[in-house]
Amino acid sequence: MTSATAVLPPAAARRGERGSRFLRLFLPLGLYLVFTVVPFYWMLLFALRPAGSASLLPWPLTLEHFGTVWNDMGFRVYFQNSVWIALLTLLFVTFFALMGGYALARFEFRGRRLFMLALLCTQFVPGAMMLIPLFNIFQTLDLIDSRWSLIIAESTFQLPLAMILMSGFVRNVPVELEESAMVDGCGRIRAFLAVVLPLLRPGIVAVGSFAFIGSWNNFLFALMFLNDPELQTVPVGLQTTIGENTVDFGALAAGGVVAAVPVVLVFAVVQKYLVQGMSAGAVKG
Amino acid sequence: MSSILRTTAAALAALGLLTACSSTGSSTDAGGGAKVTVTYWDNNAGPARTPLFQHLIDEFEKANPTITVKYVGVTSSEVAEKYNTAIASGSTPDVGGVTTALLASLTAQKALAPLDDLYAKSSLNGRLAANFLATSKAASGGKGLFQLPSSGNQDVIWYRADKFKAAGLAAPKTWDELFADAAKLTDKGANQYGFTIRGGAGAGFQVLSEAYAYSGVAEMFDASGRSTVDDPKNVALIEKIAAQYKTTTPEADVSNAYPQMLAQFQANQVMMVHHNLGSTKDVKTALGDKVAGFLLPAGPDGTSVLANPVDGFGLFKNSKHQAQAWKFIEFLDSHASNSYWNENVGQIPANTEAYADEWYAKSGITKEAGDLLNASGTKLVQPPVYLPQYSKITKTDAEPAFQKVLLGKTSAAEFAKGVADALTKAQADYKSKNG
């Protein structure tokens, strides 16, 4: 069998292969990267260059917009609020998803499939539809203008999907491991904590990071349930940089960077676990 | 054992977080119950307005030590949803910022308290511009006064005074002069255009205000209840505007909203931009003396008809502190506060005492617009914002339809007829339900 590469000298074949690889792989990926990176660059550019500058490079470099949003526009407070709310949502969602997911994966009980179907169906209801009922409930509980309203609402909305995901992760842990631990004298809780929980680390990280990011980015509930500026969160704060006729682009971009940093950090730290989590159980053997 | 210890530590950490988060920050009346907190929702919070309100609130609290005002800034794009949710759940604020566009929806839901009696007994009585009060009453469907006006807005065409001067041109007085100037100032090779059309968000209302200014038609409906939007004179102006597209305007105008139009104006790409007094500070900050403004030009018969959008305050019916809330509204509309506010936002004060202030006398286009608005012979057209379908007709339906006119896919007459038919039907529905 002959081929074009077979008759070419080795150096030319390598060049041809590199050219083909460039066209097939690097060019499309490079174009995709441009679409992905340019908006971020634009945001950084507006955040780091002086107001009114048309330079395409952040030079002269200024941190004045960060000072404005952090100190004058209240982002220091918004950031703290967002961190607390997102962390507590993460804790609640992860804890209850672990409990619920374990039960769904390990116990056979009447209506289990129906329950899972109901959990899935909750994802079809948009948050905006639930605003007024939730508002009334929180008002009755005196939770309007309290961070708890956000934590509860966000946890409740995220929990169904988190439970379904977690039940998948639990199923991937061989039940025999737990049974062996129980034969060795562990109770179910001890067996879960000592044997299953460490193996669920990728799942916990995946569910927890989605819970954190979902809560961090939530705008609607924060806008509706919180009135006090001292309780507001970063997404609502970002919106206040946009007036009806005035947009403070420098402040908006600096606020955007402040909002994006935790999300980028979360993904940077957990991405290896996420990859493990996504592919867990893909190959059995 | 170590795993149990770790679990306990995690639980304690979670408890610590819970404790840290337990402060709701909700304000309570301090001082043995003597102090009252009035909640105020700003309907257009943003970097330009919020600090002004914070200053006014500080002044009010100094003058009224028993009243605390809790400011809640809501952006204009979200305020309708926030008000509607609050009304549906019975948790409205004491006082809210209300534009004439919002007024219809709030009065239809019976959320606001009538202010006629309070105003009649107030020291403000007789000190607020009559045209503003008339607009407020008309915007709530003529059922009374539900908004105490604070500012009047007016459509303005900002133009590059320096470029006009260099070209030997003066500010146009008629639409035909405007189009002629736009042609002279257009240099496509240099990416410079004489005019810009709003084709994106807000296009429907803007082109209608241009059409009525040109036609001189002062009523939105004729005696039989038929909308006047498709009046031949209105259609003529819409045709003239559409003819400017890509001739004296940038191609991107078909989807441009105000921020993009302003960006083009500030970047020397367009020489005239139609907006309103709300952008006074922006254009002056960006371009200083290089920019000046003129009111919408007159049509062929020499009369210009103006719309009169009014901003103001509403007192919510569910407020438990009606007296204190009204006191706050009165303070905001007092001579000093109203003057401070309008000087800083560049709009026309509702409090007529402010017209004697130095800043107003020197304000140029703001005074010009105010004088015209308050002149006895001025014709005002009141957009039917009281119709529940008004926003859908002028935004959701009219904006894409106007884009089709710009792109030559439909005619100006068909566009105008579509809007007119929808408004006629909505008016008939409104009349049948409200008499």
Side-chain angles (χ1 to χ4, degrees):
Chain A
M1 184 179 162
T2 58
S3 69
T5 46
V7 294
L8 286 170
R14 277 201 300 275
R15 273 200 303 277
E17 197 174 308
R18 275 204 299 270
S20 159
R21 193 174 160 81
F22 174 80
L23 284 175
R24 281 186 292 110
L25 191 63
F26 293 118
L27 188 65
L29 280 179
L31 285 172
Y32 181 70
L33 189 69
V34 168
F35 277 100
T36 314
V37 169
V38 164
F40 282 99
Y41 177 71
W42 217 245
M43 182 168 76
L44 274 173
L45 185 66
F46 272 84
L48 292 171
R49 76 183 183 188
S53 165
S55 165
L56 291 177
L57 291 169
W59 196 260
L61 197 71
T62 177
L63 295 177
E64 131 192 32
H65 300 307
F66 287 95
T68 304
V69 295
W70 194 256
N71 298 317
D72 304 341
M73 299 183 81
F75 269 64
R76 186 179 57 78
V77 176
Y78 302 151
F79 189 85
Q80 287 168 357
N81 290 333
S82 281
V83 167
W84 284 121
I85 289 165
L87 279 179
L88 281 170
T89 305
L90 178 155
L91 274 176
F92 284 142
V93 170
T94 311
F95 178 76
F96 288 111
L98 264 174
M99 302 294 106
Y102 182 82
L104 286 171
R106 290 287 191 255
F107 300 131
E108 282 295 332
F109 52 89
R110 189 182 292 175
R112 189 172 67 100
R113 281 179 176 279
L114 201 64
F115 181 65
M116 288 193 76
L117 189 69
L119 286 180
L120 268 179
C121 288
T122 59
Q123 300 305 297
F124 306 148
V125 183
M129 291 281 290
M130 301 300 291
L131 260 185
I132 291 171
L134 280 174
F135 204 103
N136 284 332
I137 292 167
F138 289 139
Q139 203 170 27
T140 310
L141 298 172
D142 202 19
L143 287 177
I144 292 296
D145 237 0
S146 156
R147 297 181 189 94
W148 284 110
S149 57
L150 240 63
I151 295 163
I152 294 169
E154 194 57 32
S155 302
T156 313
F157 268 81
Q158 294 201 26
L159 195 54
L161 191 62
M163 272 169 67
I164 293 169
L165 283 175
M166 194 61 86
S167 72
F169 288 117
V170 174
R171 266 190 214 102
N172 287 326
V173 177
V175 71
E176 292 80 6
L177 290 175
E178 252 176 296
E179 286 169 354
S180 301
M182 288 163 82
V183 167
D184 287 345
C186 286
R188 183 174 283 279
I189 294 175
R190 181 76 187 270
F192 173 76
L193 291 174
V195 177
V196 182
L197 199 59
L199 296 172
L200 284 179
R201 197 181 298 162
I204 292 169
V205 170
V207 166
S209 52
F210 281 122
F212 181 91
I213 289 159
S215 174
W216 181 267
N217 289 334
N218 189 291
F219 169 75
L220 188 65
F221 291 155
L223 177 77
M224 292 300 165
F225 300 149
L226 302 177
N227 292 325
D228 192 335
E230 291 298 311
L231 298 173
Q232 274 303 357
T233 59
V234 168
V236 179
L238 267 182
Q239 188 75 7
T240 61
T241 62
I242 306 169
E244 188 180 23
N245 300 317
T246 317
V247 182
D248 187 340
F249 285 107
L252 180 64
V257 173
V258 171
V261 163
V263 177
V264 172
L265 283 179
V266 165
F267 271 111
V269 172
V270 306
Q271 54 92 15
K272 66 174 180 178
Y273 296 106
L274 274 182
V275 174
Q276 284 175 27
M278 300 291 182
S279 59
V283 181
K284 286 204 170 194
Chain B
M1 191 64 196
S2 62
S3 66
I4 292 172
L5 279 174
R6 278 201 300 272
T7 311
T8 312
L12 284 172
L15 196 63
L17 282 172
L18 293 174
T19 316
C21 206
S22 62
S23 163
T24 64
S26 60
S27 63
T28 52
D29 299 343
K35 220 169 179 181
V36 165
T37 300
V38 168
T39 305
Y40 169 65
W41 286 9
D42 181 5
N43 60 313
N44 188 4
R49 289 171 47 124
T50 300
L52 303 178
F53 265 118
Q54 280 161 346
H55 168 79
L56 288 173
I57 287 168
D58 286 346
E59 295 291 309
F60 177 75
E61 287 177 342
K62 265 186 232 160
N64 298 277
T66 58
I67 307 174
T68 302
V69 177
K70 186 172 154 189
Y71 172 87
V72 177
V74 189
T75 52
S76 60
S77 54
E78 314 297 336
V79 72
E81 193 173 6
K82 179 110 176 160
Y83 274 143
N84 289 336
T85 306
I87 292 165
S89 56
S91 60
T92 47
D94 298 291
V95 179
V98 177
T99 58
T100 36
L102 273 173
L103 193 57
S105 154
L106 297 181
T107 49
Q109 295 179 80
K110 299 186 174 26
L112 296 174
L115 304 176
D116 304 76
D117 289 345
L118 290 167
Y119 177 64
K121 290 174 197 158
S122 166
S123 59
L124 290 173
N125 192 359
R127 291 187 166 90
L128 297 188
N131 266 340
F132 288 34
L133 290 164
T135 299
S136 289
K137 287 179 183 173
S140 56
K143 291 172 187 159
L145 186 66
F146 289 89
Q147 174 211 44
L148 202 70
S150 63
S151 302
N153 206 344
Q154 203 47 252
D155 282 25
V156 170
I157 294 182
W158 299 113
Y159 70 102
R160 287 293 299 263
D162 55 335
K163 303 274 183 181
F164 267 65
K165 195 174 173 186
L169 300 171
K173 296 269 189 295
T174 66
W175 282 99
D176 287 338
E177 282 178 24
L178 183 150
F179 296 136
D181 290 352
K184 284 177 196 159
L185 291 166
T186 297
D187 179 358
K188 289 184 185 174
N191 196 26
Q192 179 179 304
Y193 297 88
F195 193 51
T196 176
I197 296 171
R198 191 172 191 158
F205 185 74
Q206 182 150 312
V207 74
L208 291 186
S209 66
E210 289 165 352
Y212 278 88
Y214 174 87
S215 68
V217 175
E219 298 293 340
M220 289 295 290
F221 296 97
D222 65 17
S224 68
R226 166 87 198 152
S227 166
T228 56
V229 165
D230 58 351
D231 184 282
K233 287 182 190 168
N234 283 339
V235 173
L237 192 275
I238 299 169
E239 276 169 357
K240 284 173 191 264
I241 292 278
Q244 300 301 309
Y245 179 58
K246 290 199 283 187
T247 307
T248 65
T249 77
E251 189 170 358
D253 278 8
V254 70
S255 58
N256 277 355
Y258 168 68
Q260 292 82 28
M261 294 162 75
L262 187 68
Q264 289 174 335
F265 184 61
Q266 291 177 352
N268 292 329
Q269 288 169 11
V270 295
M271 300 297 109
M272 287 183 273
V273 60
H274 173 186
H275 193 242
N276 59 47
L277 289 173
S279 49
T280 305
K281 204 160 189 173
D282 290 342
V283 294
K284 293 286 181 189
T285 304
L287 295 165
D289 291 340
K290 291 178 186 166
V291 68
F294 58 86
L295 300 173
L296 290 186
D301 64 359
T303 58
S304 181
V305 167
L306 311 170
N308 181 25
V310 167
D311 208 347
F313 307 104
L315 172 60
F316 279 85
K317 205 188 259 178
N318 281 349
S319 168
K320 291 188 176 80
H321 311 296
Q322 299 261 339
Q324 291 84 354
W326 173 248
K327 199 167 193 175
F328 179 55
I329 294 177
E330 275 184 310
F331 172 83
L332 292 175
D333 259 12
S334 66
H335 175 193
S337 305
N338 195 242
S339 191
Y340 167 82
W341 173 260
N342 286 292
E343 179 183 4
N344 282 286
V345 296
Q347 295 193 338
I348 308 161
N351 192 312
T352 52
E353 290 174 309
Y355 298 156
D357 292 347
E358 192 183 352
W359 75 265
Y360 185 71
K362 291 181 177 170
S363 65
I365 188 70
T366 303
K367 182 178 185 307
E368 201 183 317
D371 287 353
L372 186 63
L373 199 61
N374 288 306
S376 56
T378 301
K379 284 188 187 176
L380 291 177
V381 64
Q382 304 289 2
V385 291
Y386 52 84
L387 297 175
Q389 303 94 328
Y390 178 75
S391 189
K392 180 182 180 296
I393 294 167
T394 57
K395 285 188 71 66
T396 318
D397 299 341
E399 286 172 8
F402 182 59
Q403 286 177 333
K404 285 186 184 169
V405 179
L406 294 181
L407 295 170
K409 291 181 180 169
T410 188
S411 70
E414 280 172 308
F415 162 75
K417 186 174 182 307
V419 177
D421 287 348
L423 285 174
T424 303
K425 185 175 180 308
Q427 174 79 348
D429 287 349
Y430 181 80
K431 288 275 180 195
S432 69
K433 285 175 189 153
N434 295 277

